Amino acid sequence: GGGGALLDQVRRRRPEAVCFVLTGSVRPELEAEYLARGAHGVFEKPVDLERLQEAVALGLEASRNVSKIAQA
């Protein structure tokens, strides 16, 4: 779908980007596809902001750790 194409475009331009997909309906096959394409998480709207904030914090921390490893 459109979200997958956008995710691919972002990942090509900024492979280090922490990306999340927000969708109106999470189907297991689409969730698996988005995760395989590099999404750090998939959330159904309306989004639980607390869960999203936690996921963003974890994704950013993982990204920082990867950067530190790459610089070592």
Side-chain angles (χ1 to χ4, degrees):
L6 178 59
L7 179 60
D8 291 343
Q9 188 175 35
V10 170
R11 301 292 296 159
R12 271 194 305 276
R13 291 183 181 183
R14 302 277 312 265
E16 76 284 1
V18 177
C19 300
F20 296 91
V21 174
L22 308 179
T23 180
S25 176
V26 176
R27 295 193 321 253
E29 65 276 6
L30 273 180
E31 181 175 14
E33 177 186 335
Y34 290 140
L35 294 173
R37 288 169 113 161
H40 285 78
V42 180
F43 293 88
E44 189 167 11
K45 295 184 254 182
V47 176
D48 178 333
L49 292 180
E50 200 169 294
R51 281 190 58 229
L52 180 58
Q53 287 173 329
E54 290 172 8
V56 169
L58 290 172
L60 291 174
E61 183 63 29
S63 178
R64 284 189 206 101
N65 289 338
V66 169
S67 294
K68 287 178 188 176
I69 292 168
Q71 292 174 1

